[in-house]
Amino acid sequence: IGLGLFDVSGHGIASGLLTMLAKSIIFRIFNEGFHKDLVSVIEEVNKQLQNEMGAIDNYYISGILLRFKNNKIEYVNAGHQNILIKKENEVCQIMKEDGKKIMGSFLGIKDFYVVPFEQMEFQVEKGETLFLFSDCLVEEKSDNNYFGETGLKKALEAAPENGSAQEIMEFVLGEFYEYVKDKEKLHDDLTVIVVKRKI
């Protein structure tokens, strides 16, 4: 019925505990709020995370939440890297009709200037692929140069057009690891989700 990709700031035990807490809250509220709009869902997630994280300084969560409904996808973004979509040999970001990104505030920070959450809907046609990722994929360096969004888009464009989601992911990560040279020394957690519409 949907999927999410969320990223807790920092590393170590505290971040790990926050990850478990956030996963439980997001999963529960998403399922309880199936008949609510996604903005209401993410606002409730943020409220509960703020209550739970109130005594923990310098931590926040970014993320994307998608809900599959009928023939469309509902989408909210909380300070996270934007989704890419691969259409034939074209790769672009999911954007609003006015050409702007959909981007709300980080989650879990009390007394923080709030950029309102927005919901948008879009459609994925047969054979098209969604690509969700954590910031490690574009912020990792080699010889002081970032792989970056340019490198990611080139890799995704070159990925096999008729390949499965698994094959597309493996191709892009292969290009990434070849660029950074040593995948054992990444400076951040790396998460990638690839979704391809078959029918």
Side-chain angles (χ1 to χ4, degrees):
I1 60 175
L3 67 85
L5 190 157
F6 292 83
D7 191 5
V8 176
S9 63
H11 303 276
I13 293 173
S15 293
L17 292 172
L18 283 178
T19 297
M20 291 188 292
L21 171 69
K23 181 179 178 182
S24 174
I25 289 173
I26 294 163
F27 184 80
R28 176 175 51 80
I29 293 173
F30 178 81
N31 283 291
E32 289 175 354
F34 187 69
H35 298 293
K36 298 179 180 178
D37 61 81
L38 273 190
V39 168
S40 298
V41 171
I42 204 73
E43 285 175 344
E44 182 61 26
V45 166
N46 192 32
K47 179 181 175 182
Q48 292 199 24
L49 284 172
Q50 286 178 350
N51 290 338
E52 295 293 335
M53 294 169 60
I56 307 173
D57 292 330
N58 301 320
Y59 284 91
Y60 60 88
I61 298 170
S62 69
I64 285 172
L65 195 57
L66 301 178
R67 180 160 57 196
F68 307 135
K69 204 164 186 178
N70 301 322
N71 206 29
K72 293 187 177 180
I73 297 175
E74 299 173 350
Y75 168 38
V76 293
N77 187 316
H80 197 79
Q81 298 285 339
N82 201 13
I83 302 173
L84 296 178
I85 184 167
K86 177 179 172 69
K87 303 181 177 186
E88 296 183 353
N89 290 317
E90 177 191 14
V91 174
C92 56
Q93 293 188 15
I94 297 293
M95 308 287 272
K96 296 187 290 185
E97 289 184 0
D98 61 5
K100 295 180 180 178
K101 295 180 183 179
I102 178 170
M103 184 73 67
S105 296
F106 294 125
L107 302 171
I109 309 175
K110 280 191 174 180
D111 304 320
F112 180 70
Y113 173 72
V114 175
V115 178
F117 298 111
E118 297 179 81
Q119 175 179 322
M120 68 173 290
E121 291 186 355
F122 63 94
Q123 192 162 339
V124 177
E125 304 296 339
K126 180 180 177 181
E128 293 180 349
T129 302
L130 293 179
F131 196 91
L132 293 72
F133 57 98
S134 60
D135 54 7
C136 173
L137 196 60
V138 291
E139 294 180 358
E140 197 66 30
K141 289 182 179 180
S142 177
D143 299 325
N144 289 320
N145 293 311
Y146 292 104
F147 184 64
E149 194 171 294
T150 300
L152 174 56
K153 283 185 175 180
K154 283 182 179 178
L156 194 51
E157 284 170 357
E161 184 61 36
N162 296 318
S164 66
Q166 181 73 28
E167 289 168 337
I168 291 170
M169 181 177 70
E170 288 174 354
F171 181 90
V172 172
L173 290 179
E175 295 290 297
F176 171 73
Y177 289 134
E178 184 175 333
Y179 181 85
V180 300
K181 297 182 178 68
D182 188 353
K183 65 180 180 181
E184 302 301 323
K185 293 185 179 180
L186 297 182
H187 295 93
D188 201 357
D189 305 315
L190 175 61
T191 301
V192 173
I193 300 175
V194 180
V195 182
K196 184 168 185 176
R197 181 169 179 178
K198 290 184 176 181
I199 57 174

